[in-house]
Amino acid sequence: MEWKRRGMIAGITVGVFAAYRWLLPAALPFLAAWMFAAWLHPVAVKIEKKTKIRKTFVGTVLLAGIFGALGFLLYLGISEIFAQIKTVISNFPVLKKWCGIFLDNCCGTIEEITGIASADTRRYVLTQAKHLREQMTSVVGAQTLTGLFSTVKGILFTASGVVVTFITAVLLMGDLENLRRKVWDYSWLVGTRRVVRRLKKTTVTYLKAQTVIMLLVAAVCAFGFWAMKSPYFLIIGIVLGALDTLPLIGTGTFLYPAAVIYLFRGMTKSALWCVALDIVTSLLREFLEPRLLGGKLGVSPVAILISVYAGIFLYGGWGVVLGPLSFSTIYEIGKEWDVWD
């Protein structure tokens, strides 16, 4: 019956949303532990055969080394980001003066083109900026304490998740073969395995490709702005890497306006650097996407675009990942249950 089919589609949609919205954060440490264990298990087995050292101990040492290296790199990155934020704050008077000069140049250009007095344009822009600042100040003032508690809660939650991931991965390392065999023996998981297998070939492949491209774009942009002697090269690189993952936005959304600003300041070389960076990152994406995806995506780009923006609306920042993943999960479960026309 049609009403039954629509009811199943609605149930699948609500179930997938609830799972990704509330269940996934709790299950994430265990999923990460399984991935670490599956990745390191073959290496630990080989070392055990050659050295007779138990694979659990070998896996623990390998995990400790990986977690230590990642923690050290994260510490260096966060330290550099905070140092650059501190530089932004200390240079605020200079930035304010520079913004004033840039605004005067823009208003003068508008006066030449439209005939509207530059003083009127400047007054209007400053008035709107003042209203926006007042609104932001009131919002920040009201939510500072709540935000502080949320930040502390998030740090504690992340730290506990890392500890749980490490301990669980060590425990899985010693009994991974038996667990895999038991999972594969459950007949009621046959459909689930088919869904997961198809997701790995489509959306997971897409997300892996986007992650690799994002990291490379961020590295290229950070290097470019470091070469331009920008004190904010790491922050800019991270922002541009994130922008490049968003459909129809990309690095040009930032780089071309930056190039125009540099031209207004008479810094032609920096403006050309910005244009060159956008060209390089665009070519990098065009070169890597077909090779990383290998024609295996099988999902309409329009569907990906819609799912990304719907995901941001439903999940927040993580919607860039969870949006496409939710869409594909709903589609694959519906396909497995034969609910699509």
Side-chain angles (χ1 to χ4, degrees), residues 53-107:
I53 301 174
R54 293 185 62 184
K55 60 186 176 184
T56 305
F57 178 78
V58 174
T60 303
V61 173
L62 292 174
L63 277 171
I66 292 171
F67 275 55
L70 292 175
F72 180 68
L73 291 175
L74 185 63
Y75 168 76
L76 291 179
I78 292 175
S79 299
E80 182 63 30
I81 289 172
F82 275 108
Q84 293 185 14
I85 291 174
K86 183 178 178 181
T87 304
V88 172
I89 295 173
S90 63
N91 288 339
F92 182 75
V94 177
L95 293 172
K96 184 178 179 181
K97 180 180 178 181
W98 174 80
C99 288
I101 296 172
F102 176 70
L103 178 61
D104 289 338
N105 291 333
C106 290
C107 292

Side-chain angles (χ1 to χ4, degrees), residues 194-212:
R194 283 197 295 262
V195 169
V196 172
R197 195 178 300 118
R198 291 196 296 267
L199 284 174
K200 286 174 67 175
K201 291 181 180 179
T202 56
T203 306
V204 174
T205 300
Y206 167 80
L207 293 175
K208 284 181 179 178
Q210 295 304 316
T211 300
V212 171

Side-chain angles (χ1 to χ4, degrees), residues 149-190:
F149 280 118
S150 298
T151 302
V152 174
K153 180 181 177 182
I155 293 173
L156 293 176
F157 181 79
T158 303
S160 62
V162 171
V163 173
V164 170
T165 299
F166 182 84
I167 295 173
T168 306
V170 171
L171 295 175
L172 287 172
M173 196 76 67
D175 202 29
L176 192 62
E177 299 99 331
N178 292 332
L179 287 172
R180 279 175 172 170
R181 197 176 301 114
K182 289 178 180 178
V183 169
W184 285 103
D185 285 342
Y186 286 123
S187 59
W188 58 275
L189 286 176
V190 173

Side-chain angles (χ1 to χ4, degrees), residues 4-318:
K4 183 178 180 180
R5 188 181 72 86
R6 293 186 179 184
M8 290 179 67
I9 293 173
I12 292 170
T13 303
V14 173
V16 169
F17 170 73
Y20 283 128
R21 181 68 177 82
W22 291 290
L23 183 60
L24 182 62
L28 195 58
F30 303 100
L31 294 174
W34 181 279
M35 288 188 290
F36 274 114
W39 178 39
L40 294 175
H41 184 264
V43 179
V45 170
K46 288 182 180 179
I47 294 176
E48 183 184 40
K49 289 179 180 179
K50 290 182 179 180
T51 63
K52 305 303 180 182
I53 301 174
R54 293 185 62 184
K55 60 186 176 184
T56 305
F57 178 78
V58 174
T60 303
V61 173
L62 292 174
L63 277 171
I66 292 171
F67 275 55
L70 292 175
F72 180 68
L73 291 175
L74 185 63
Y75 168 76
L76 291 179
I78 292 175
S79 299
E80 182 63 30
I81 289 172
F82 275 108
Q84 293 185 14
I85 291 174
K86 183 178 178 181
T87 304
V88 172
I89 295 173
S90 63
N91 288 339
F92 182 75
V94 177
L95 293 172
K96 184 178 179 181
K97 180 180 178 181
W98 174 80
C99 288
I101 296 172
F102 176 70
L103 178 61
D104 289 338
N105 291 333
C106 290
C107 292
T109 304
I110 292 173
E111 183 177 15
E112 293 176 1
I113 296 173
T114 65
I116 300 174
S118 60
D120 294 337
T121 307
R122 178 184 174 85
R123 190 181 306 111
Y124 174 78
V125 172
L126 292 178
T127 301
Q128 297 303 314
K130 181 180 178 182
H131 292 331
L132 179 62
R133 185 176 68 251
E134 291 173 351
Q135 292 176 4
M136 292 177 63
T137 302
S138 63
V139 171
V140 171
Q143 296 181 352
T144 298
L145 189 60
T146 304
L148 179 62
F149 280 118
S150 298
T151 302
V152 174
K153 180 181 177 182
I155 293 173
L156 293 176
F157 181 79
T158 303
S160 62
V162 171
V163 173
V164 170
T165 299
F166 182 84
I167 295 173
T168 306
V170 171
L171 295 175
L172 287 172
M173 196 76 67
D175 202 29
L176 192 62
E177 299 99 331
N178 292 332
L179 287 172
R180 279 175 172 170
R181 197 176 301 114
K182 289 178 180 178
V183 169
W184 285 103
D185 285 342
Y186 286 123
S187 59
W188 58 275
L189 286 176
V190 173
T192 303
R193 290 199 296 270
R194 283 197 295 262
V195 169
V196 172
R197 195 178 300 118
R198 291 196 296 267
L199 284 174
K200 286 174 67 175
K201 291 181 180 179
T202 56
T203 306
V204 174
T205 300
Y206 167 80
L207 293 175
K208 284 181 179 178
Q210 295 304 316
T211 300
V212 171
I213 294 171
M214 178 189 71
L215 293 175
L216 289 175
V217 167
V220 169
C221 291
F223 174 78
F225 277 89
W226 173 80
M228 293 163 62
K229 311 298 183 184
S230 171
Y232 323 116
F233 66 92
L234 187 58
I235 295 175
I236 295 173
I238 293 172
V239 170
L240 290 178
L243 284 176
D244 191 64
T245 63
L246 299 176
L248 304 181
I249 296 181
T251 57
T253 306
F254 174 88
L255 288 172
Y256 285 109
V260 173
I261 292 172
Y262 279 127
L263 282 176
F264 270 111
R265 297 181 64 188
M267 302 171 67
T268 307
K269 186 177 179 181
S270 296
L272 292 175
W273 259 105
C274 289
V275 175
L277 278 176
D278 184 67
I279 294 173
V280 170
T281 53
S282 298
L283 291 175
L284 186 66
R285 172 170 287 277
E286 290 296 323
F287 176 79
L288 289 176
E289 254 186 357
R291 286 159 180 78
L292 293 174
L293 295 175
K296 296 181 291 187
L297 185 56
V299 180
S300 168
V302 176
I304 292 291
L305 174 62
I306 295 172
S307 64
V308 166
Y309 284 103
I312 292 173
F313 176 77
L314 293 172
Y315 300 109
W318 285 105

